[in-house]
Amino acid sequence: MSTYQGGPALPQERRLVTEIPGPKSRELLARKQAAVPPGIGTTLPVFVTRAGGGVVVDIDGNSLIDFGSGIAVTSVGNAAPRVVERVSRQVADFTHTCFMVTPYESYVEVCEKLNELTPGDHEKRTFLVNSGAEAVENAVKVARLATGRQAVVVFDHGYHGRTLLTMTLTAKNMPYKQGFGPFAPEVYRVPLAYPYRWPTGPENCAGEAAAQAIDAINKQIGAGNVAAVVIEPIAGEGGFIEPAKGFLPRIAEYCRENGIVFIADEVQTGFARTGQLFACEDEGIVPDIITTAKGIAGGLPLAAVTGRADLLDKVHAGGLGGTYGGNPLACEAALGVLETIESEDLVAKARRIGEIMLPRLRAMQERFDVIGDVRGRGAMIAIELVKPGTKEPDPEIVAEIVRRCHAEGLLVLTAGTYGNVLRFLPPLVMPEHLLEEGLAILEKALSA
């Protein structure tokens, strides 16, 4: 039996005892390659045995600084005590009944919490599913049924999942869509307000992008045919693009004027990640439907669709659901996550991470002309790398910087439509000394 144990009691230190990856990880990687299809990629092939706080520990005994959080999932830290306690207690009681067969209180409690915490004081309903993609797909189902319309509008650089519909909603072809067509019908794409790359400059971005998007909807689709607009308040996989201020409110206003359901995809941005509980709060956006996942349950598979009661109540009995949606273990984990966010004030800690990272990264931008842009909020930060003196994307230098960071024991992730963005998603509980050490490793990699 394994004696591994993680959580915040792990030594919060970077420690390298072998090369990265080490011999035991390389042995397991060979097994992985023989058993798992190559379509399941791996960012850093170290096999983890423990994790907690701001570190992950691999099978070779290396302790790495975690700037990824499992792609914004372990925001409260791996094996967070309240999550462990609740899940351990639940797993000894029962592991599954299917909420649609015989329900249980924890599902209802999670839904009540999300109805309370998500933006807006209107009457809401929530139901639970397994993943962010499933949440987005169900949100679109609700919008289509409630409005009697079919068209769905999404944005350049958006990412919404890997199912047929959400793959269609996603903008980036490679690797998410290449060869997997044909795609779902009645999905239309319009411009996103991308300040760094807006042709007439960031100062004109919000107004011009909103006008272009609305004009395209009116002329090419017809507002009366649109069931929903689906947008990430900060584009995640697209490169942590924060739309220019004023863009989201104008799109939301247009939706209200035309009876279009405004769906905020907060799968990556939700649960304190951006220094607010939900990213759309930054400009006072109150979505008709909000989808959440990732950071909701501390690593257990759970996602939610929360929306206006008058929309969700229109769906007939049996029209929503799934065998595993709102599994009791995941529900208990989510309640533990929400308790942790509140008791440890992780919203403030996310803001503090941004206060540390952004000035350091902007100082690096002054030193290194490969950094074209520094952007983000809270603990959702990115740098976009370009060829010096231009805005031409440079994915090759990103790959080299990632390689050097990984070799030094810093786990970092990439993103971006052009593959030229480094994104940083540290756990919100990460000690500041590890945050500073990770930034120093990044600076060393840029210097090299």
Side-chain angles (χ1 to χ4, degrees):
M1 180 177 291
S2 170
T3 58
Y4 301 139
Q5 189 169 3
L10 277 176
Q12 296 297 293
E13 62 182 12
R14 179 177 67 103
R15 182 180 68 254
L16 300 184
V17 296
T18 72
E19 71 275 31
I20 304 294
K24 293 180 181 178
S25 281
R26 292 199 301 271
E27 181 181 337
L28 281 169
L29 179 61
R31 288 172 54 190
K32 181 249 186 190
Q33 290 168 339
V36 181
I40 303 292
T42 300
T43 299
L44 174 56
V46 297
F47 283 74
V48 176
T49 58
R50 292 170 291 163
V55 299
V56 293
V57 179
D58 72 14
I59 196 167
D60 290 287
N62 300 296
S63 177
L64 288 74
I65 300 173
D66 182 11
F67 271 19
S69 297
I71 317 182
V73 168
T74 55
S75 297
V76 299
N78 252 295
R82 290 177 178 84
V83 174
V84 171
E85 180 184 355
R86 280 183 166 271
V87 172
S88 298
R89 188 167 60 242
Q90 179 61 51
V91 78
D93 289 339
F94 64 94
T95 55
H96 176 76
T97 68
C98 183
F99 187 77
M100 299 181 299
V101 177
T102 53
Y104 34 89
E105 184 178 3
S106 57
Y107 184 116
V108 177
E109 191 174 353
V110 171
C111 294
E112 289 171 339
K113 292 278 189 185
L114 292 176
N115 291 341
E116 174 190 349
L117 295 171
T118 50
D121 56 7
H122 53 281
E123 187 178 3
K124 301 172 196 165
R125 302 283 188 266
T126 292
F127 65 96
L128 305 178
V129 291
N130 301 290
S131 70
E134 194 178 349
V136 172
E137 188 140 344
N138 273 278
V140 170
K141 281 170 53 177
V142 170
R144 282 175 163 165
L145 186 145
T147 62
R149 305 172 182 179
Q150 294 185 344
V152 180
V153 173
V154 289
F155 293 80
D156 289 338
H157 311 287
Y159 177 84
H160 302 287
R162 299 174 190 258
T163 62
L164 174 61
L165 177 59
T166 59
M167 178 174 57
T168 307
L169 302 178
T170 291
K172 189 175 179 179
N173 176 58
M174 191 67 184
Y176 306 114
K177 304 169 77 167
Q178 177 64 33
F180 296 141
F183 301 108
E186 290 297 316
V187 173
Y188 302 87
R189 196 170 314 282
V190 296
L192 178 72
Y194 189 165
Y196 177 64
R197 295 193 172 275
W198 196 254
T200 61
E203 66 278 6
N204 301 313
C205 182
E208 290 180 1
Q212 288 182 22
I214 290 168
D215 185 63
I217 295 169
N218 288 336
K219 289 180 178 175
Q220 298 178 31
I221 314 165
N225 297 316
V226 179
V229 163
V230 184
I231 190 167
E232 302 163 278
I234 299 176
E237 175 61 26
F240 283 23
I241 303 162
E242 184 178 3
K245 299 296 185 189
F247 176 79
L248 287 173
R250 179 65 190 106
I251 297 299
E253 179 185 36
Y254 173 80
C255 289
R256 284 194 301 273
E257 292 168 350
N258 291 279
I260 299 168
V261 178
F262 184 92
I263 300 173
D265 178 345
E266 292 241 21
V267 168
Q268 190 162 172
T269 55
F271 300 101
R273 172 56 58 182
T274 64
Q276 290 162 303
L277 200 54
F278 299 97
C280 54
E281 295 178 274
D282 183 66
E283 293 187 88
I285 305 295
V286 178
D288 298 307
I289 297 177
I290 183 169
T291 61
T292 52
K294 288 191 183 291
I296 192 174
L300 274 72
L302 187 70
V305 179
T306 303
R308 286 169 29 204
D310 63 301
L311 295 176
L312 272 72
D313 285 353
K314 289 185 178 180
V315 181
H316 48 276
L320 304 171
T323 302
Y324 294 104
N327 171 271
L329 305 181
C331 287
E332 289 293 343
L335 295 171
V337 164
L338 293 172
E339 289 172 1
T340 303
I341 289 172
E342 182 179 3
S343 64
E344 299 186 17
D345 197 3
L346 295 190
V347 171
K349 288 190 177 180
R351 289 196 294 267
R352 175 60 181 159
I353 288 171
E355 291 167 359
I356 293 171
M357 293 194 76
L358 285 168
R360 285 283 302 274
L361 293 170
R362 287 175 180 141
M364 292 182 208
Q365 184 181 20
E366 293 294 319
R367 287 188 59 200
F368 306 114
D369 54 6
V370 295
I371 301 179
D373 194 27
V374 175
R375 55 181 179 254
R377 297 204 305 266
M380 188 174 180
I381 307 291
I383 57 175
E384 181 165 354
L385 301 184
V386 295
K387 295 183 178 177
T390 76
K391 289 189 177 182
E392 182 180 349
D394 195 343
E396 289 79 15
I397 197 170
V398 169
E400 178 61 18
I401 290 169
V402 167
R403 187 190 67 78
R404 291 176 181 271
C405 287
H406 288 174
E408 292 292 326
L410 173 65
L411 173 57
V412 293
L413 305 175
T414 60
T417 299
Y418 313 108
N420 67 322
V421 174
L422 274 174
R423 55 175 162 172
F424 309 114
L425 292 160
L428 306 184
V429 296
M430 173 170 280
E432 290 187 11
H433 74 274
L434 284 181
L435 197 62
E436 296 282 5
E437 187 175 0
L439 290 167
I441 292 170
L442 174 65
E443 188 164 11
K444 178 182 175 182
L446 284 161
S447 299

